[in-house]
Amino acid sequence: MRQSHLFTKTEKSAPKDEVALNAQLLTRAGYIYKNSAGVYSFLPLGWQVIKNISAIAREEMDAIGGQEMLMSALHDKHYLQATGRWDVDVVYKVIAGDDKEPAANISWTHEEILAEIATKYIHSYKDLPFAAYQIQTKFRHEPRAKSGLLRGREFLMKDLYSFHVSEDDLYRYYDRVAKAYANVFARCGLKAYYTLAAGGEFTVSNTHEFQVESPVGEDTVYVCTQCEYAENKEVSKAADGGACPKCGGAVREIKAVEVGNIFPLGTKYAKAFGLAFTDEKGEAHDVVMGSYGIGISRLMGVIVEQYHDEKGIAWPSAVAPFHAHLLGLRGGDGDGIYATLQKAGVKVLYDDREATPGEKFADADLIGIPWRLVTGAKTGAGTVEIKRRIDSESRTVSVEEAITLITTH
Ligand code: ATP
Ligand code: MG
């Protein structure tokens, strides 16, 4: 893409009303726009990143048999009333037309919705198990929405739901989801601890969170220094300095951000909607469910919190909006090299703007694309100056060599 065509522009200073570093950098670089507290729009560069993170999540969910779908966002009140969740404080309720009372809410989670859908199709043990997921917008009235993408009032979630004949079958699938989630976070460049936690508004059982260590994290997690066992402070028996309940090793207290959460739900949602199946003997049982969430937009924020320096963002290549940022300086062969890179299938942002070299270099550092290429009066025909965003030294190579470097690293 030609940068002169991008309708967004970079900004030198951070917006005054943003205290979170992820929101400051993403706003300055033109990835996101804040519409109101905790509510963001994803601009063209930001949407590329969201699509890359979503593609990783999709691949991993498809690999464990998840069927992608898209559920409604406007929910009649009978759904949450059926499970006693209509008055959960983060739920946004909707008053329509002349109504005095809200008769619906906007989506905050979808256990009730898919449990009811399943009653139409699931009748026999032969219809089970199955799992379905979506990537969809969730709305939650978060009182503290000061952390940028880490805590939105409107945010993107990947939510998967699974349906089983028994607890045993649920827990077998639960472990497969845990592995798939670990893959998602590793592919996004994050180290996430598999952490024992409480069930919140979802279940009375213990659950597991995926927690990424970060100074801006709102959660306190105890992590074993030997076996990497982790538990959230809210359920922890091992206070800091205590022993790991699994291996007896020393425990370390960390601040962390929850990027994913998986829940064994039991039969609560099936009971509420009459979701039952008949077994081989013709006896009826409630369906056992699990639910599993990843904060897609929160992940984007966490990646920025982890991958940046004083000049800007430095995206891991798996999620970067482009692979290469070509800076066309006066006297260089910008148009020609841009065409060659595109022909080779390199996703490239081409800075073809009328701007000073200093402005172009500063913008490249801020936007954070993994490889920077420069063509100008000093680079000879058929060559470019290349460097990675995270390196300080550049070198001059042929355009062919640059393509090999970009496509293999
Ligand atoms: P938290 O404890 O951080 O409030 P939660 O436990 O309420 O999150 P879940 O209902 O488990 O969140 O949602 C699944 C995932 O969605 C979370 O692991 C997180 O990554 C993401 N998420 C939850 N709330 C938000 C939010 N307000 N903004 C962005 N992402 C969120
Ligand atoms: Mg959670």
Side-chain angles (χ1 to χ4, degrees):
M1 169 169 215
R2 282 175 181 270
Q3 208 169 329
S4 62
H5 292 181
L6 254 190
F7 84 85
T8 59
K9 310 271 186 294
T10 58
E11 291 162 340
K12 285 213 169 53
S13 52
K16 285 186 199 68
D17 59 341
E18 286 288 11
V19 290
L21 184 126
N22 70 86
Q24 290 180 349
L25 287 176
L26 288 167
T27 304
R28 282 183 55 209
Y31 286 87
I32 59 172
Y33 178 89
K34 179 171 164 174
N35 298 101
S36 58
V39 179
Y40 293 90
S41 292
F42 294 96
L43 303 170
L45 287 177
W47 186 238
Q48 287 300 328
V49 177
I50 290 290
K51 284 197 287 188
N52 293 341
I53 298 172
S54 301
I56 292 171
R58 281 197 176 95
E59 274 179 34
E60 297 295 339
M61 294 305 101
D62 292 348
I64 54 169
Q67 302 173 43
E68 188 171 4
M69 61 189 293
L70 181 64
M71 286 183 265
S72 68
L74 186 62
H75 300 166
D76 181 82
K77 68 177 186 299
H78 80 268
Y79 285 102
L80 293 184
Q81 283 180 338
T83 54
R85 301 209 286 182
W86 176 245
D87 288 318
V88 169
D89 52 1
V90 296
V91 173
Y92 277 103
K93 296 177 181 172
V94 181
I95 298 180
D98 296 333
D99 291 356
K100 294 276 175 292
E101 295 292 326
N105 67 284
I106 43 175
S107 58
W108 72 297
T109 184
H110 281 75
E111 284 79 9
E112 288 86 349
I113 307 298
L114 192 52
E116 191 196 77
I117 292 173
T119 60
K120 183 171 170 187
Y121 303 103
I122 306 303
H123 306 291
S124 147
Y125 69 96
K126 291 178 188 157
D127 302 325
L128 293 164
F130 83 95
Y133 75 97
Q134 62 177 349
I135 294 174
Q136 199 249 18
T137 304
K138 300 284 187 275
F139 302 88
R140 294 184 185 179
H141 188 255
E142 302 280 1
R144 295 158 292 142
K146 293 200 182 100
S147 312
L149 293 188
L150 303 188
R151 187 165 296 285
R153 290 183 173 151
E154 174 178 335
F155 60 97
L156 285 164
M157 194 199 285
K158 188 290 304 162
D159 41 334
L160 170 79
Y161 305 88
S162 71
F163 298 76
H164 307 269
V165 294
S166 66
E167 291 271 326
D168 279 355
D169 195 58
L170 163 67
Y171 277 103
R172 270 194 296 277
Y173 193 69
Y174 190 86
D175 288 342
R176 289 181 67 198
V177 178
K179 291 203 181 77
Y181 270 34
N183 293 343
V184 171
F185 303 126
R187 289 176 65 183
C188 289
L190 298 173
K191 175 172 174 53
Y193 289 99
Y194 187 58
T195 307
L196 189 72
E201 302 287 353
F202 292 85
T203 176
V204 293
S205 309
N206 273 338
T207 70
H208 287 90
E209 296 168 342
F210 290 81
Q211 294 276 5
V212 173
E213 183 168 5
S214 168
V216 300
E218 290 179 13
D219 287 12
T220 303
V221 174
Y222 295 109
V223 182
C224 177
T225 53
Q226 284 180 27
C227 71
E228 299 213 335
Y229 173 83
E231 48 188 31
N232 195 304
K233 188 178 187 176
E234 64 190 15
V235 296
S236 181
K237 284 170 225 80
D240 191 24
C244 165
K246 223 174 143 190
C247 77
V251 166
R252 180 167 79 88
E253 179 180 319
I254 63 168
K255 286 279 164 220
V257 183
E258 177 196 313
V259 287
N261 205 176
I262 61 178
F263 304 85
L265 298 174
T267 55
K268 168 178 171 178
Y269 298 89
K271 279 201 174 75
F273 291 93
L275 173 60
F277 68 96
T278 48
D279 64 17
E280 291 94 326
K281 296 182 211 117
E283 279 169 28
H285 305 273
D286 295 322
V287 171
V288 179
M289 284 174 63
S291 100
Y292 319 84
I294 290 181
I296 297 287
S297 49
R298 179 180 286 185
L299 261 182
M300 179 170 167
V302 174
I303 294 167
V304 172
E305 294 283 345
Q306 305 262 316
Y307 289 92
H308 71 271
D309 59 19
E310 66 293 342
K311 293 177 181 159
I313 304 167
W315 294 107
S317 37
V319 302
F322 294 93
H323 295 135
H325 199 167
L326 172 65
L327 313 189
L329 307 185
R330 192 156 299 157
D333 177 26
D335 286 0
I337 295 170
Y338 177 51
T340 308
L341 291 171
Q342 281 193 310
K343 225 177 271 162
V346 174
K347 277 171 72 185
V348 54
L349 180 64
Y350 169 32
D351 193 347
D352 60 337
R353 298 169 307 164
E354 287 294 329
T356 65
E359 285 168 325
K360 293 192 179 191
F361 288 128
D363 274 1
D365 283 338
L366 178 61
I367 293 170
I369 294 166
W371 289 96
R372 188 191 78 187
L373 274 54
V374 180
T375 172
K378 279 187 269 170
T379 48
T383 69
V384 282
E385 214 184 270
I386 189 167
K387 100 172 181 64
R388 286 198 295 194
R389 169 64 180 81
I390 51 172
D391 293 338
S392 44
E393 298 297 319
S394 63
R395 57 203 170 106
T396 302
V397 298
S398 69
V399 175
E400 288 68 43
E401 211 175 316
I403 290 169
T404 307
L405 281 170
I406 296 162
T407 51
T408 55
H409 289 79

